[in-house]
Amino acid sequence: MTTVALTPVEFVNQFYPNFWWIPAGILAAALAIKLPSIIRLWKDPLLRAVGGLLLLACAVFVFVAPSTIARVNRLTGVANFSGPWVYSLLTAFCASCLLLIITWRNGLADRSDRTRRAMRGVVVVYSCVIVAMWVLFALADVPEERLRDLDTYYANTPYMREVIVLYLLAHTVAAVVTNGLIWNWIRTDGLDSLLRWGLKFLGVGYAAQLFFDAAKLTAVAARWAGRDLDWLSTAVAPPLACLSAVLIAIGFIIPHAGQYLHGRWHVRLAHHELRPLYQLMKTVDGDGVPFLLRATPELRLVRRETFIRDCLLPLARYIDEDRRARYHDAALALGHPPDRAKALASTAAILDAVEARSRTREDDGAGARDTTDLLREIGAVSRALRRTDDLRAIRARVPDPAGGRSLTG
């Protein structure tokens, strides 16, 4: 049995009916990721604009699928009703892109006349394009339903020809302007790295739309010239549209998801870094923090920090400030930077306090002390506990009158 390799055009043609659900699913996932923030911060116009843009983009790919086109035509009883409907959704998406980039780029605080005029112009022009397309479609004679090649099949039909040109020109202009705004923004100094990467994906995504427009316009122009290049419209343009949708979805996801993951990573890292000091404090108060199955990472971090501080407060009575100062001098003498020397000195003093507390009665100690600095630097102290060789070196330089060194050797 021989297997015939499919050409790229044949491959697209074979999977065309289900091709459109891939970008629709990706855009829906991007909308789902953004939705909690949109609901929580509903008054933020930028988040609402992003949600609307993703919803429109998802709707375009849902309604452009051949099965949806046939269903809409059947429900309305109008052959090719899906044509201007999809074109209208795509045109509204183009307008949303322009409005979002103008607002996002200039910032919510920018209410200048120039910005307002630009946004008002976008709304007016693209609304007129949508209305004009429906008027022209009503005048056109397009009785034969076309599920895939409406653009090229009716490229020479009066009024429908103008509908096709209008939506392609509106889409091309929006892609060109949006690309220019995005790439100018990317070159701006001081951008957050996640935002810059998101903008780069958006820029490439909108650039792919330009290639989509070029393929469509070339196929339509070929029909005007009496040639058949329909494969550009039916086999080349669809993958470009899908690629554009995926890149745009990623571009919107990166700043949001990146900041979320970045924050979660820092919380988990802080929780992990406090483990050595937490284990040491459990030798003072053996109960530790009760485990909660559904506790969030933020709650686990707060509970661990609270436990450590609650243990350090009574332990501070056993800290010898003079010895801590000598530990600090010893750390500096060994070549440690001032911040690390301070953390190592505090850590050595806490180790001494734990040993002293185990050798004395509960009511012994030096009384109340100012623990503000100590409680503030628990992260640095916990990291210093991992540097056992450094701690051993500075403690060896400071004589211990009690002879205790059980915790670090």
Side-chain angles (χ1 to χ4, degrees):
M1 180 177 179
T2 59
T3 301
V4 179
L6 297 177
T7 66
V9 173
E10 292 171 338
F11 177 83
V12 174
N13 288 336
Q14 181 174 343
F15 291 99
Y16 191 93
N18 300 315
F19 201 76
W20 306 98
W21 299 107
I22 298 173
I26 294 173
L27 288 164
L31 180 59
I33 291 173
K34 299 289 287 186
L35 194 59
S37 297
I38 295 171
I39 295 174
R40 188 173 63 254
L41 303 172
W42 180 251
K43 293 184 178 180
D44 187 336
L46 280 179
L47 280 175
R48 292 202 307 269
V50 170
L53 185 146
L54 291 174
L55 184 61
L56 279 171
C58 186
V60 168
F61 284 99
V62 169
F63 282 99
V64 82
S67 58
T68 310
I69 291 175
R71 190 172 293 113
V72 170
N73 291 340
R74 186 166 58 252
L75 288 173
T76 60
V78 178
N80 298 307
F81 180 90
S82 284
W85 173 245
V86 172
Y87 297 161
S88 298
L89 289 174
L90 189 58
T91 303
F93 167 76
C94 295
S96 297
C97 292
L98 286 172
L99 291 174
L100 175 62
I101 296 301
I102 290 171
T103 305
W104 196 5
R105 176 67 177 88
N106 295 337
L108 294 177
D110 187 348
R111 291 292 184 268
S112 65
D113 291 339
R114 181 180 178 183
T115 300
R116 285 197 296 267
R117 282 197 305 270
M119 297 179 70
R120 194 182 306 118
V122 169
V123 173
V124 170
V125 169
Y126 279 81
S127 297
C128 290
V129 169
I130 292 174
V131 171
M133 285 193 299
W134 282 102
V135 172
L136 290 167
F137 176 75
L139 297 172
D141 182 20
V142 286
E144 185 175 344
E145 183 182 60
R146 309 300 299 183
L147 301 181
R148 292 183 52 180
D149 59 349
L150 182 69
D151 297 342
T152 51
Y153 188 83
Y154 287 112
N156 289 309
T157 301
Y159 301 113
M160 193 63 193
R161 173 183 57 222
E162 285 74 18
V163 172
I164 295 166
V165 172
L166 264 179
Y167 103 83
L168 286 175
L169 287 180
H171 189 266
T172 302
V173 170
V176 170
V177 175
T178 305
N179 261 283
L181 292 173
I182 289 175
W183 289 109
N184 283 335
W185 191 3
I186 289 173
R187 289 191 288 268
T188 303
D189 294 331
L191 284 183
D192 176 77
S193 59
L194 291 172
L195 175 58
R196 191 182 298 276
W197 274 106
L199 288 172
K200 287 180 179 179
F201 274 95
L202 287 174
V204 177
Y206 285 111
Q209 289 191 359
L210 290 175
F211 290 103
F212 166 87
D213 292 325
K216 285 281 188 179
L217 286 168
T218 302
V220 170
R223 280 283 186 151
W224 295 342
R227 300 180 61 188
D228 184 353
L229 294 178
D230 290 8
W231 59 273
L232 287 173
S233 178
T234 58
V236 174
L240 289 171
C242 293
L243 175 63
S244 172
V246 171
L247 292 172
I248 289 173
I250 293 173
F252 282 120
I253 289 172
I254 282 179
H256 174 80
Q259 290 174 357
Y260 173 80
L261 295 175
H262 188 260
R264 280 302 179 95
W265 166 253
H266 275 279
V267 168
R268 293 184 183 277
L269 182 62
H271 186 269
H272 176 71
E273 287 183 339
L274 287 176
R275 179 176 175 78
L277 184 56
Y278 171 70
Q279 294 295 337
L280 177 61
M281 291 301 100
K282 284 177 67 175
T283 65
V284 178
D285 182 348
D287 292 336
V289 178
F291 177 74
L292 291 180
L293 181 62
R294 296 189 176 183
T296 64
E298 291 82 2
L299 180 58
R300 289 194 178 99
L301 175 61
V302 170
R303 284 162 56 84
R304 178 165 287 188
E305 289 175 338
T306 302
F307 174 79
I308 290 172
R309 291 190 172 101
D310 287 346
C311 292
L312 280 176
L313 281 171
L315 189 64
R317 293 181 302 166
Y318 300 93
I319 292 179
D320 187 333
E321 293 296 336
D322 291 336
R323 288 180 61 77
R324 178 154 72 161
R326 292 199 294 273
Y327 282 140
H328 184 261
D329 293 338
L332 290 175
L334 289 171
H336 293 289
D339 289 343
R340 185 182 298 172
K342 182 180 179 181
L344 288 169
S346 296
T347 305
I350 290 173
L351 289 171
D352 285 352
V354 172
E355 295 170 359
R357 183 180 181 278
S358 66
R359 296 194 302 264
T360 58
R361 298 192 309 274
E362 183 68 26
D363 56 352
D364 288 346
R369 293 184 182 275
D370 184 3
T371 59
T372 303
D373 288 342
L374 185 62
L375 296 179
R376 187 186 297 121
E377 60 186 23
I378 58 174
V381 169
S382 187
R383 290 191 296 271
L385 276 170
R386 299 178 185 273
R387 309 179 69 89
T388 55
D389 291 340
D390 293 335
L391 286 170
R392 189 178 295 111
I394 67 169
R395 297 185 82 191
R397 284 175 169 252
V398 180
D400 182 7
R405 283 290 182 265
S406 60
L407 290 174
T408 58

